[in-house]
Amino acid sequence: MSYRGFVRMNGIAPEASAYGGFGFMLFVFLFECWIRDVMPRLTGPCALALGLALGASTSSLAYLGLVSYAVLVFLRSVVFPKTMRVDRLLVLGATTMLFLMMVAAASVWYPRLVAEFGDMITHFTLENPSRNRANNGNSGR
């Protein structure tokens, strides 16, 4: 499925939300392995790559999962500070700041791209495809 030139990622399943759910579970596993120092040279970059892929997937399930998990990790590090190593917190903080700076820079230098990306996210996550087909006069066949 595509929208204004953006192609929706669906991975191993025909529906993007199925990929988002599967990818999110794998992301949590890889991220927790990285936090717990289980093969960190492999699990860290894999978790980062999968997190970026989930962010680009336009799956509302992936977005909800990533935001919920980020809140959970934040609360866990505040309530139980010894569960998160300081070097891991520094990497997470630096990565978060870098991501926010990239989003801010993109919104300043490429406002049209950011607006079109926002329209695409809204189209794929909030709008009902069957309602859009009915409004366009298509029968969906």
Side-chain angles (χ1 to χ4, degrees):
M1 180 185 288
S2 65
Y3 176 76
R4 292 186 184 176
F6 291 103
V7 178
R8 190 169 193 190
M9 180 189 311
N10 56 6
I12 61 172
E15 176 57 38
S17 64
Y19 171 72
F22 175 79
F24 175 69
M25 289 187 293
L26 186 58
F27 169 78
V28 169
F29 174 75
L30 290 169
F31 188 82
E32 290 294 329
C33 284
W34 176 72
I35 286 176
R36 288 168 172 70
D37 215 20
V38 177
M39 298 175 65
R41 294 182 126 187
L42 293 174
T43 56
C46 287
L48 177 63
L50 189 53
L52 292 172
L54 288 172
S57 72
T58 67
S59 167
S60 54
L61 179 63
Y63 294 157
L64 180 65
L66 287 172
V67 169
S68 301
Y69 186 63
V71 169
L72 180 72
V73 168
F74 175 75
L75 290 175
R76 182 174 66 185
S77 66
V78 168
V79 175
F80 305 108
K82 297 200 183 236
T83 61
M84 185 83 72
R85 293 178 20 192
V86 173
D87 63 333
R88 300 293 191 239
L89 283 175
L90 291 174
V91 168
L92 287 175
T95 305
T96 302
M97 291 302 294
L98 180 64
F99 175 74
L100 292 175
M101 288 189 303
M102 288 172 47
V103 169
S107 64
V108 168
W109 286 314
Y110 305 106
R112 185 170 176 211
L113 175 68
V114 173
E116 287 183 14
F117 186 75
D119 289 343
M120 179 205 49
I121 296 297
T122 302
H123 174 76
F124 282 133
T125 59
L126 300 176
E127 293 178 357
N128 186 349
S130 62
R131 183 177 60 225
N132 289 341
R133 271 188 247 125
N135 289 341
N136 291 335
N138 295 337
S139 63
R141 293 181 210 145

